[in-house]
């Protein structure tokens, strides 16, 4: 899936505060959110900035799939409005009465009149302009409709600059959550292996398989929230290749089908003249011709070890990910010649 997190629209924060100035990655590699505009407002795509400079590229690159049922959070909370922007956002909703008179009245007491039992946000907290942000939920656009995407249902809340968000909001953005969101942005190269014989192989003839070291380097994505000055880098390192022949009538080398990476970053050993009678360190032997049903679908899957580092020395491991592709392998009978 070529996923880009498309965030719910939102204005953003105070660019005239030097503590919030943070260099941005090259525009071509960045999905922007959370930046500050020159007039001191939060930009219309507030939230997260992704730096994909060190990510995998090309039309054949794809996302890693976690080996467990783990997935990045579908929604989270982050700064979205200044006091003036929250007023601009809410007042048209109240005037339209689209949410009902009783609800609108409760909201006015909470955010405008300062008479709510839950807080005294007088006049949208304009007295604290420049001293904090209104936080609201964001949703991964590709996951709208999932049950988890509805879990970020807290009312818009205020957080002072430098203060932690309320303890009862576990989805409030942190470096760890940023690392998980960056995980979803990781792209790794195609796993089409080089085979010898190339094109078609023979029954009971060892087929050598290998991957060049130049094709498989560690990749990473950095996610940040500039207005909070937090970030996390999620890194994927290739660790093994698994071969699945596409038929039970085959043997793999090693027997597990798992070929480890060599010290130079390659996998397997290229076939060389004179190796026909040797067992390949990474490869397979087909025991039956592919026949009239078409070629076998050889699947090659790379396992990537995923880890992250973030602001304040935080870091750790995330679930390993895999990315695999299939390729056709035609297997022919060896033709004997009778004299």
């Amino acid at each position: 899936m070529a996923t880009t997190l498309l965030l719910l629209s939102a204005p953003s924060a105070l660019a005239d505060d030097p503590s919030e100035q943070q260099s941005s990655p090259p525009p071509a590699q960045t999905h922007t959110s959370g930046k500050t505009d020159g007039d001191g407002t939060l930009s219309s795509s507030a939230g997260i900035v992704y730096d994909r400079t060190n990510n995998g590229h090309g039309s054949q690159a794809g996302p890693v799939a976690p080996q467990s049922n783990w997935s990045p959070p579908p929604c989270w909370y982050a700064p979205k409005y200044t006091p003036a922007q929250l007023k601009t956002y809410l007042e048209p909703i109240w005037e339209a009465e689209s949410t009902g008179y009783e609800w609108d009245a409760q909201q006015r007491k909470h955010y405008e009149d300062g008479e709510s039992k839950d807080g005294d946000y007088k006049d949208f907290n304009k007295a604290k302009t420049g001293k904090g942000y209104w936080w609201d939920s964001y949703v991964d656009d590709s996951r709208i409709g999932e049950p988890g995407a509805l879990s970020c249902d807290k009312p818009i809340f205020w957080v002072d600059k430098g203060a932690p968000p309320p303890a009862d909001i576990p989805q409030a953005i942190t470096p760890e959550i940023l690392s998980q969101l960056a995980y979803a942005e990781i792209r790794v190269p195609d796993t089409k292996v080089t085979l010898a014989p190339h094109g078609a192989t023979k029954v009971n003839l060892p087929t050598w398989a290998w991957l060049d070291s130049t094709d498989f380097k560690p990749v990473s994505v950095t996610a940040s929230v500039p207005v909070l000055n937090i970030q996390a880098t999620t890194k994927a390192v290739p660790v093994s290749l698994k071969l699945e022949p596409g038929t039970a009538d085959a043997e793999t080398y090693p027997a597990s089908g798992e070929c480890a990476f060599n010290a130079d970053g390659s996998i397997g050993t290229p076939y060389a003249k004179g190796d026909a009678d040797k067992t390949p360190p990474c490869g397979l032997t087909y025991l039956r011709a592919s026949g009239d049903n078409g070629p076998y679908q050889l699947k090659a899957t790379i396992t990537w070890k995923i880890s992250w580092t973030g602001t304040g020395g935080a870091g750790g491991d995330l679930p390993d990910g895999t990315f695999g592709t299939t390729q056709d392998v035609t297997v022919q009978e060896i033709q004997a010649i009778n004299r």
Side-chain angles (χ1 to χ4, degrees):
M1 63 177 181
T3 305
T4 296
L5 295 180
L6 300 177
L7 306 182
L8 298 179
S9 65
S12 194
L14 299 154
D16 49 358
D17 184 337
S19 67
E20 292 175 3
Q21 300 307 304
Q22 186 168 346
S23 59
S24 299
Q29 302 297 334
T30 304
H31 175 76
T32 308
S33 55
K35 284 188 172 182
T36 56
D37 297 329
D39 62 357
T41 62
L42 289 160
S43 69
S44 61
S45 55
I48 299 174
V49 175
Y50 292 103
D51 179 0
R52 303 180 183 87
T53 305
N54 298 313
N55 206 10
H57 302 292
S59 60
Q60 300 302 312
V64 289
Q67 289 188 319
S68 64
N69 60 2
W70 176 90
S71 63
C75 68
W76 60 94
Y77 296 94
K80 187 176 283 191
Y81 306 106
T82 63
Q85 290 168 330
L86 183 62
K87 179 179 181 179
T88 300
Y89 169 66
L90 288 179
E91 283 191 334
I93 298 175
W94 297 339
E95 291 172 2
E97 298 184 351
S98 58
T99 52
Y101 173 79
E102 183 176 350
W103 175 258
D104 292 346
Q106 291 176 358
Q107 294 290 293
R108 286 184 183 277
K109 286 183 178 181
H110 187 60
Y111 296 107
E112 186 175 49
D113 301 334
E115 297 176 358
S116 170
K117 64 180 181 180
D118 299 320
D120 56 346
Y121 295 134
K122 186 71 173 179
D123 196 17
F124 304 95
N125 236 12
K126 283 187 177 180
K128 284 195 169 184
T129 297
K131 299 178 180 179
Y133 313 103
W134 287 106
W135 289 43
D136 198 5
S137 61
Y138 293 83
V139 179
D140 179 343
D141 191 63
S142 69
R143 300 174 68 181
I144 291 176
E146 292 185 16
L150 302 176
S151 64
C152 296
D153 56 1
K154 297 284 187 181
I156 299 169
F157 57 93
W158 179 265
V159 179
D160 288 335
K161 289 172 63 173
D168 62 343
I169 302 182
Q171 302 102 320
I173 200 71
T174 62
E176 184 173 7
I177 289 179
L178 284 173
S179 75
Q180 297 170 6
L181 297 174
Y183 188 116
E185 298 296 311
I186 290 286
R187 297 293 179 268
V188 295
D190 188 9
T191 53
K192 184 174 182 179
V193 296
T194 303
L195 300 175
H198 176 71
T201 187
K202 305 295 184 182
V203 171
N204 295 321
L205 177 69
T207 299
W208 292 58
W210 67 92
L211 287 167
D212 189 81
S213 61
T214 60
D215 294 332
F216 288 89
K217 300 292 185 183
V219 299
S220 65
V221 171
T222 297
S224 63
V225 180
V227 299
L228 297 179
N229 200 29
I230 61 172
Q231 68 173 28
T233 297
T234 299
K235 183 178 181 180
V237 178
V239 292
S240 67
L241 165 72
K242 183 175 180 62
L243 296 176
E244 298 176 76
T247 174
D249 295 314
E251 298 175 347
T252 57
Y253 312 108
S256 65
E258 293 274 357
C259 303
F261 272 77
N262 302 318
D264 65 354
S266 64
I267 289 184
T269 301
Y271 177 82
K273 186 176 180 180
D275 287 343
D277 295 329
K278 298 179 181 179
T279 299
C282 181
L284 63 165
T285 295
Y286 285 97
L287 307 178
R288 187 183 299 272
S290 49
D292 297 333
N293 293 326
Y296 292 126
Q297 295 296 299
L298 170 64
K299 185 174 183 179
T301 302
I302 296 287
T303 295
W304 297 77
K305 183 173 179 59
I306 315 292
S307 60
W308 70 279
T309 56
T311 302
D317 293 328
L318 291 168
D320 288 351
T322 61
F323 181 64
T325 54
T326 59
Q327 58 197 88
D328 293 346
V329 178
T330 299
V331 182
Q332 303 170 338
E333 296 282 0
I334 296 177
Q335 301 296 317
I337 300 176
N338 297 320
R339 296 183 182 274

